[in-house]
């Protein structure tokens, strides 16, 4: 079936923490950009700092938005942000709503991340029992090594975690509340200051599937990280809680996918019956039908 993703405004796919041009050996938004372009969309991937606060990354996004607008002659852009990229997109829309047609949060920590809370405590001496702090800190460092090939945890990564904690995002939300639901677990306003807001996310499947953790080490880390969720235990993707991801019109927040599956297809894609590329294509068609 021929797809039609010819949105009125260009689409910018905004990466999150630790993203740059590659994540875990795969290009950012692997296959997604090409599929959208084949369906008629104009797609760009702005490159933001891999580790920085939400506002700084938002300012970087604004500068790259302007270049896209100048190059395409378009008046506005559609922003689709994965993970912390959603917060950068929210910042850009709050500061310059006249240049943003829509913001879509994909697995975004819009109310903070319990994992970030726990990691922040683990990396602060005396906040957690030594063995517990050592275990989670080592797990996190190993995860960063897997993604970026670094042998130790970069100092900037520790600082960036503060911006993703419940407290850090709470302060961010006080300044930029557009699209947030009034009550926990609900949808937020669909439109604020002329900008449409959408979100979708996933939760870890009930069972990892035969051999999946061996085949997909990133998924194994997501399962390990999920143990540190309390409020949203069993309702998270390994890095972000289901209800913490809600923003604007919630398309769905329990796709059977881990945090990285919503960025690029993982080893468990066929078993889960979910294709992340298809979700992005459907959403581009949704934006087109909305005149965006």
């Amino acid at each position: 079936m021929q797809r039609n993703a010819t949105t009125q405004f260009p689409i910018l796919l905004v990466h999150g923490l630790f993203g740059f041009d590659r994540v875990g050996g795969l290009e950012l938004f692997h296959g997604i950009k090409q599929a959208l372009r084949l369906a008629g969309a104009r797609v760009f991937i702005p490159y933001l700092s891999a580790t920085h606060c939400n506002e700084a990354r938002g300012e970087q996004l604004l500068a790259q938005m302007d270049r896209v607008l100048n190059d395409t002659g378009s008046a506005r852009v559609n922003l689709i942000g994965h993970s912390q990229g959603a917060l950068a997109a929210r910042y850009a829309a709050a500061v310059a709503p006249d240049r943003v047609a829509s913001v879509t949060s994909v697995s975004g920590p819009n109310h903070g991340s319990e994992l970030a809370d726990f990691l922040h405590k683990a990396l602060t001496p005396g906040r957690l029992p030594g063995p517990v702090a050592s275990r989670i800190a080592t797990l996190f460092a190993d995860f960063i090594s897997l993604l970026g090939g670094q042998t130790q945890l970069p100092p900037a990564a520790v600082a960036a975690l503060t911006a993703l904690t419940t407290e850090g995002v709470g302060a961010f939300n006080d300044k930029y509340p557009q699209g947030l639901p009034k009550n926990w677990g609900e949808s937020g306003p669909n439109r604020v200051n002329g900008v449409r807001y959408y979100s979708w996310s996933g939760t870890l499947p009930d069972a990892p599937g035969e051999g999946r953790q061996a085949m997909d080490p990133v998924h194994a880390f997501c399962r390990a990280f999920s143990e540190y969720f309390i409020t949203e235990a069993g309702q998270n993707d390994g890095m972000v809680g289901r209800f913490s991801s809600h923003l604007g019109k919630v398309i769905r927040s329990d796709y059977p996918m881990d945090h990285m599956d919503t960025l690029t297809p993982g080893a468990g894609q066929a078993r889960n019956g979910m294709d992340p590329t298809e979700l992005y294509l459907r959403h581009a068609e949704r934006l087109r039908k909305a005149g965006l």
Side-chain angles (χ1 to χ4, degrees):
M1 180 179 71
Q2 178 120 8
R3 309 303 294 265
N4 186 351
T6 52
T7 55
Q8 179 179 353
F9 304 112
I11 293 173
L12 274 66
L13 300 173
V14 188
H15 67 80
L17 186 69
F18 306 124
F20 196 64
D21 56 348
R22 303 181 73 82
V23 171
L26 293 174
E27 294 181 5
L28 282 177
F29 299 102
H30 178 68
I32 294 168
K33 177 177 70 173
Q34 183 64 13
L36 288 171
R37 285 182 172 174
L38 287 173
R42 292 171 292 172
V43 185
F44 302 87
I45 299 180
Y47 293 107
L48 313 184
S49 294
T51 53
H52 218 314
C53 69
N54 302 318
E55 288 89 342
R57 298 179 86 250
E59 284 293 330
Q60 293 171 358
L61 177 58
L62 283 170
Q64 295 185 58
M65 278 170 46
D66 285 342
R67 287 198 285 273
V68 170
L69 293 175
N70 289 334
D71 290 346
T72 63
S74 181
R76 307 172 84 182
V77 296
N78 291 302
L79 300 175
I80 301 179
H82 179 265
S83 194
Q84 193 188 12
L87 302 181
R90 287 177 49 199
Y91 174 88
V95 171
D98 57 315
R99 286 179 272 170
V100 179
S102 70
V103 168
T104 302
S105 166
V106 179
S107 302
N110 293 304
H111 299 270
S113 167
E114 287 187 77
L115 176 62
D117 290 344
F118 208 97
L119 286 168
H120 193 261
K121 291 178 183 177
L123 298 171
T124 304
R127 294 292 301 277
L128 289 174
V132 177
S134 177
R135 180 173 181 269
I136 184 64
T138 300
L139 184 66
F140 185 52
D142 288 347
F143 177 68
I144 301 309
S145 177
L146 173 68
L147 292 186
Q150 302 183 58
T151 57
Q152 60 183 359
L153 191 65
V158 179
L161 278 175
T162 304
L164 298 176
T165 61
T166 302
E167 182 179 358
V169 176
F172 177 83
N173 288 346
D174 288 342
K175 293 184 285 187
Y176 314 108
Q178 292 85 349
L180 292 173
K182 289 184 178 180
N183 299 307
W184 177 257
E186 295 182 352
S187 290
N190 294 353
R191 187 168 184 167
V192 182
N193 297 332
V195 180
R196 301 285 185 92
Y197 287 86
Y198 304 88
S199 63
W200 82 73
S201 59
T203 57
L204 287 172
D206 292 336
E210 184 179 354
R212 168 142 194 211
Q213 295 198 30
M215 294 173 60
D216 185 354
V218 172
H219 180 75
F221 275 107
C222 287
R223 285 207 167 269
F225 288 143
S226 71
E227 297 177 8
Y228 296 95
F229 283 76
I230 299 173
T231 302
E232 296 192 79
Q235 293 289 319
N236 63 81
D237 63 10
M239 296 188 189
V240 174
R242 173 184 179 182
F243 300 111
S244 296
S245 73
H246 285 194
L247 181 79
K249 178 180 176 58
V250 180
I251 296 165
R252 182 176 170 182
S253 58
D254 64 344
Y255 287 113
M257 308 168 78
D258 67 37
H259 191 73
M260 300 305 291
D261 280 339
T262 54
L263 174 67
T264 186
Q269 172 188 317
R271 282 182 292 281
N272 293 343
M274 297 302 308
D275 180 356
T277 302
E278 176 65 20
L279 298 183
Y280 285 85
L281 283 168
R282 286 183 202 166
H283 190 57
E285 292 173 336
R286 185 179 292 113
L287 295 176
R288 178 185 65 80
K289 291 177 181 178
L292 304 175

